[in-house]
């Protein structure tokens, strides 16, 4: 699975070799607050680094034409410039908003660089980026993020990471934007927070997706983290539509045109508005990144390239209130899990990705690298619902179901040990076994990094025979609400219920927002679960939910995770 090649779009990327005469800037990078006026209101970003190149991104507002380009320097005063590129463009009429992406090449491995864009005589804020290292690496720190819903709250998590994370790399695992209209999911505080989604309707067209990306990029905290470190980004579902798969999405309905048109419009906007290299087929957002002799990182695409439609709840074979003691009822549910959910032909990432991951991990093991990282979107570990019909307090069950037949059916169905979410790997167990088998064939243990579920988890990864494959660290959301926020109640700990119901779940915090700060060294991997005290106001306190350590694998063993704090 090779590193993705860039397909450059001439409308976005300047011609190589154009000169750029610039005077020295101020003593240090600016604080990344949004600019109400001027050409660079959406900040700057860098992404998809390798050892000698990196993609640089900005947006241009009120562009009437002229010279535009970028320069990269070793120093923040831009006295030691190592890369310049740009060109002159003349327009028939001014452009209200556009994006500019330039691949900076000829850089040195493992180096920090400063970069800035220029439109005529106006300069962008200064960004800091890094190339990937080669050779011996003593430490590398990755920040893991997902689920940043603009109307749900302030992006304090991004700000905390930008100012205090000391990150070498940002890994964003999806749901970078959300497609919903005002009045739909997680918009209840939007007016009070002055974060009403733009446009106010659900985004469907290319122009809609562009407008939504532009709104997110106007956020000062998102700008701060983009400018603080290079990003590797995947998408999950909301960059297109909720619960998307190769042939459609739960939130793509009649009257919204063809799914392919909507998907392609969303992907075109996503690539234009992120610092990401473009594969020939835009759906194939997967690849391998090597971090010197320390780690191999495999980026997974689990939505648009191979995924079959999730198994829907209406396929459940018995009434939700069926007698759990009836052998025929139990047999019917087990057959559904085995033959419908567990059908051998159901795919999530497809054979090509599994083969690529196997190849990359085999090479990593052969090279003696201690760490193999799977950058993954949805929970990979096996997780069942607790039996809410027994575990949930009676008064809360009454309140949750008093006017909701859906809630009543859901709670009663949890009596049958059903998977937590069929949109996750639990909805594709045969595919998970194929991936785990491929890893075992090459004696590769893994650390899987996961987003999507708006909560912190620490999970064991085991196959159907009980063989340990590795550890899964699941990061909470930047702002999106936790799975049971609508049923929150004093003294009711849904996270503990998940731990009690699932032997592979070691930790589950369904309350806090935050991110994972993963520090890799040759001897250990340490995951800090960083939290923020609030997303409903700009002032916040940072905290630490927990800390986790994995020792270096030895003698073919798969090390267990241990809690440090």
């Amino acid at each position: 699975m090779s590193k993705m090649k860039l397909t450059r779009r001439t409308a976005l990327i300047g011609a190589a070799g154009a000169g750029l005469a610039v005077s020295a800037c101020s003593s240090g990078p600016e604080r990344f607050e949004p600019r109400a006026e001027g050409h660079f209101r959406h900040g700057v970003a860098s992404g998809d680094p390798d050892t000698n190149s990196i993609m640089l991104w900005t947006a241009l507002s009120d562009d009437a034409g002229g010279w535009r380009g970028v320069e990269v320097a070793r120093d923040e005063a831009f006295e030691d410039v190592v890369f310049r590129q740009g060109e002159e463009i003349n327009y028939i009429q001014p452009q209200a908003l556009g994006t500019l992406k330039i691949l900076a090449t000829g850089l040195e491995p493992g180096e920090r660089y400063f970069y800035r864009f220029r439109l005529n005589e106006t300069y962008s804020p200064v960004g800091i980026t890094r190339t990937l290292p080669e050779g011996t690496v003593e430490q590398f720190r990755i920040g893991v993020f997902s689920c940043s819903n603009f109307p749900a709250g302030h992006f304090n998590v991004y700000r905390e990471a930008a100012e205090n994370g000391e990150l070498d790399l940002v890994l964003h695992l999806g749901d970078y934007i959300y497609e919903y209209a005002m009045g739909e999911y997680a918009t209840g505080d939007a007016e009070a927070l002055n974060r009403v989604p733009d446009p106010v309707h659900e985004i469907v067209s290319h122009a809609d997706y562009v407008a939504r990306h532009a709104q997110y990029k106007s956020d000062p905290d998102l700008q701060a983290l983009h400018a603080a470190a290079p990003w590797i980004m995947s998408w999950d579902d909301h960059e297109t539509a909720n619960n998307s798969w190769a042939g459609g999405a739960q939130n793509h309905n009649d009257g919204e045109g063809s799914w392919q048109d909507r998907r392609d419009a969303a992907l075109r906007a996503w690539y234009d508005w992120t610092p990401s290299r473009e594969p020939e087929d835009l759906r194939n957002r997967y690849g391998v990144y090597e971090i010197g002799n320390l780690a191999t990182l495999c980026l997974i695409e689990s939505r648009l390239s191979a995924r079959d439609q999730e198994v829907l709840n209406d396929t459940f074979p018995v009434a939700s209130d069926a007698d759990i003691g009836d052998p025929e009822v139990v047999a019917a549910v087990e057959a559904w899990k085995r033959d419908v959910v567990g059908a051998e032909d159901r795919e999530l990432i497809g054979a090509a990705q599994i083969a690529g991951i196997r190849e990359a991990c085999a090479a990593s093991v052969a090279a003696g690298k201690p760490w193999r990282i799977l950058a993954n979107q949805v929970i990979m570990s096996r997780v069942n619902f607790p039996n809410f019909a027994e575990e949930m307090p009676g008064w809360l069950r009454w309140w949750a179901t008093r006017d909701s037949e859906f809630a009543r059916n859901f709670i009663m169905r949890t009596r049958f040990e059903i998977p937590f979410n069929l949109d996750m790997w639990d909805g594709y167990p045969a595919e998970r076994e194929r991936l785990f088998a491929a890893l075992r064939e090459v004696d590769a243990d893994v650390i899987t990094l996961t987003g999507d579920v708006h909560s912190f988890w620490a999970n064991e990864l085991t196959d159907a025979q009980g063989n340990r494959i590795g550890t899964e660290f699941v990061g909470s959301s930047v702002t999106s609400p936790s799975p049971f926020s609508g049923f929150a109640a004093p003294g009711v700990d849904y996270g503990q219920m998940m731990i009690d119901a699932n032997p592979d779940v070691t930790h589950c915090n369904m309350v806090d927002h935050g991110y994972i700060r993963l520090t890799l060294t040759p001897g250990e991997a340490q995951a800090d679960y960083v939290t923020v005290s609030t997303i409903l106001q700009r002032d916040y306190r940072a905290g630490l939910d927990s800390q986790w350590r994995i020792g270096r694998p030895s003698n073919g063993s798969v090390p267990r995770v241990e809690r440090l704090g």
Side-chain angles (χ1 to χ4, degrees):
M1 191 159 48
S2 61
K3 186 75 171 64
M4 291 172 290
K5 295 182 179 179
L6 171 70
T7 302
R8 299 200 298 174
R9 304 181 75 220
T10 56
L12 300 178
I13 300 173
L20 184 58
V22 184
S23 60
C25 70
S26 61
S27 59
E30 304 173 34
R31 181 177 176 86
F32 296 96
E33 297 293 346
R35 297 182 177 181
E37 303 295 335
H39 299 301
F40 297 101
R41 303 170 201 168
H42 299 85
V44 297
S46 65
D48 277 358
D50 59 23
T51 55
N52 56 28
S53 66
I54 194 162
M55 182 62 73
L56 305 177
W57 175 95
T58 194
L60 299 174
S61 300
D62 304 326
D63 177 10
W67 198 95
R68 75 283 320 285
V70 73
E71 62 180 358
V72 181
R74 297 184 187 276
D75 64 311
E76 56 196 270
F78 286 83
E79 294 177 348
D80 185 8
V81 174
V82 297
F83 177 86
R84 285 192 182 100
Q85 185 169 302
E87 68 174 348
E88 185 91 14
I89 291 182
N90 296 311
Y91 296 119
I92 296 174
Q93 62 182 27
Q95 306 297 302
L97 183 63
T99 56
L100 177 64
K101 288 169 69 171
I102 295 176
L103 183 68
T105 58
L107 308 179
E108 296 295 322
E111 292 292 331
R112 182 179 75 163
Y113 292 98
F114 299 84
Y115 65 96
R116 62 182 179 181
F117 288 86
R118 172 185 161 192
L119 177 59
N120 296 318
E121 302 308 315
T122 302
Y123 293 94
S124 73
V126 175
I128 301 172
T129 192
R130 290 180 181 272
T131 50
L132 293 182
E134 64 181 18
T136 301
V137 181
E138 295 299 329
Q139 177 178 292
F140 195 84
R141 181 168 289 159
I142 302 171
V144 183
F145 303 81
S146 66
C147 306
S148 43
N149 193 323
F150 186 89
H154 295 292
F155 290 163
N156 293 335
V157 172
Y158 286 149
R159 173 65 67 177
E160 174 59 25
E163 296 187 348
N164 300 309
E166 298 180 339
L167 303 177
D168 297 303
L169 180 70
V170 170
L171 183 61
H172 201 291
L173 296 174
D175 296 343
Y176 177 81
I177 66 167
Y178 281 72
E179 82 276 21
Y180 293 112
M182 181 61 187
E184 295 182 353
Y185 176 72
T187 61
D189 295 313
E191 287 188 82
L193 297 174
N194 193 27
R195 296 176 76 85
V196 172
D198 179 29
V200 295
H201 58 262
E202 181 180 326
I203 54 176
V204 176
S205 70
H206 177 260
D208 291 341
Y209 282 100
V210 166
R212 193 65 60 88
H213 275 282
Q215 180 183 41
Y216 276 59
K217 283 291 204 311
S218 71
D219 184 89
D221 306 319
L222 177 55
Q223 286 192 24
L225 187 55
H226 266 305
W231 287 43
I232 294 174
M233 303 177 66
S234 66
W235 55 67
D236 192 23
D237 50 344
H238 293 291
E239 288 86 351
T240 50
N242 182 57
N243 286 11
S244 54
W245 54 288
Q250 176 274 328
N251 194 28
H252 183 73
N253 307 308
D254 292 342
E256 293 178 332
S258 78
W259 167 247
Q260 181 175 332
D261 288 346
R262 183 178 185 177
R263 179 202 68 196
D264 291 351
L267 291 184
R268 183 67 268 155
W270 189 89
Y271 279 104
D272 288 350
W273 280 84
T274 66
S276 304
R277 306 183 192 225
E278 298 181 19
E280 184 174 350
D281 184 335
L282 296 185
R283 297 173 298 173
N284 293 341
R285 178 66 185 164
Y286 53 85
V288 176
Y289 301 79
E290 301 291 354
I291 304 171
N293 68 345
L294 189 62
T296 296
L297 189 154
C298 298
L299 182 70
I300 291 174
E301 196 290 310
S302 62
R303 283 289 170 189
L304 304 178
S305 58
R307 178 191 279 252
D308 288 310
Q309 186 176 15
E310 68 180 290
V311 173
L312 301 178
N313 287 330
D314 60 12
T315 66
F316 194 70
V318 300
S320 62
D321 58 356
D323 182 3
I324 197 170
D326 185 337
E328 292 186 3
V329 169
V330 173
V333 173
E334 291 304 311
W336 175 78
K337 293 178 186 178
R338 181 186 65 247
D339 300 330
V340 179
V341 178
E344 284 293 327
D345 61 348
R346 288 177 50 72
E347 291 187 314
L348 183 67
I349 63 175
Q353 280 197 71
I354 291 176
I357 292 168
R358 182 188 185 280
E359 178 183 352
C361 289
S364 181
V365 170
K369 298 187 181 187
W371 309 114
R372 281 146 294 283
I373 312 295
L374 302 185
N376 168 63
Q377 289 75 49
V378 295
I379 285 183
M380 186 175 286
S381 180
R382 292 179 295 171
V383 182
N384 284 336
F385 273 115
N387 181 352
F388 285 137
E390 293 182 1
E391 298 296 326
M392 188 179 286
W395 66 267
L396 183 55
R397 291 201 309 274
W398 170 83
W399 179 84
T401 62
R402 69 195 190 283
D403 57 1
S404 173
E405 185 68 15
F406 173 84
R408 188 190 75 82
N409 287 332
F410 158 68
I411 289 173
M412 294 298 288
R413 199 175 289 142
T414 64
R415 298 177 302 143
F416 294 95
E417 296 184 350
I418 59 173
F420 173 50
N421 192 331
L422 294 175
D423 187 56
M424 298 176 176
W425 282 83
D426 268 330
Y428 306 81
E431 184 85 305
R432 179 171 55 199
E433 290 303 307
R434 287 189 285 271
L435 173 62
F436 285 175
L439 293 170
R440 290 190 63 213
E441 286 170 4
V442 296
D443 295 324
D445 61 298
V446 296
I447 297 174
T448 294
L449 301 176
T450 299
D452 177 67
V453 73
H454 313 168
S455 41
F456 285 116
W457 303 60
N459 301 329
E460 298 287 354
L461 295 174
T462 59
D463 67 14
Q465 289 73 45
N467 300 302
R468 295 190 64 254
I469 307 300
T471 298
E472 181 173 37
F473 293 133
V474 183
S476 190
S477 65
V478 175
T479 58
S480 297
S482 69
F484 301 109
S485 58
F487 301 104
V492 178
D493 188 341
Y494 293 104
Q496 188 60 50
M497 289 184 192
M498 286 291 180
I499 296 169
D500 294 342
N502 293 283
D504 286 347
V505 177
T506 302
H507 178 72
C508 183
N509 171 354
M510 288 200 168
V511 176
D512 292 306
H513 300 280
Y515 77 101
I516 297 173
R517 185 173 58 208
L518 178 67
T519 303
L520 302 175
T521 67
E524 67 176 20
Q526 179 172 316
D528 301 332
Y529 288 9
V530 181
T531 64
V532 296
S533 57
T534 184
I535 59 170
L536 298 181
Q537 55 190 17
R538 293 298 303 280
D539 293 330
Y540 68 90
R541 298 184 309 278
L544 198 61
D545 164 66
S546 55
Q547 291 179 294
W548 304 87
R549 176 188 178 275
I550 304 174
R552 179 168 182 158
S554 61
N555 300 322
S557 65
V558 179
R560 289 189 177 273
V561 65
E562 58 179 306
R563 183 165 182 166
L564 299 179

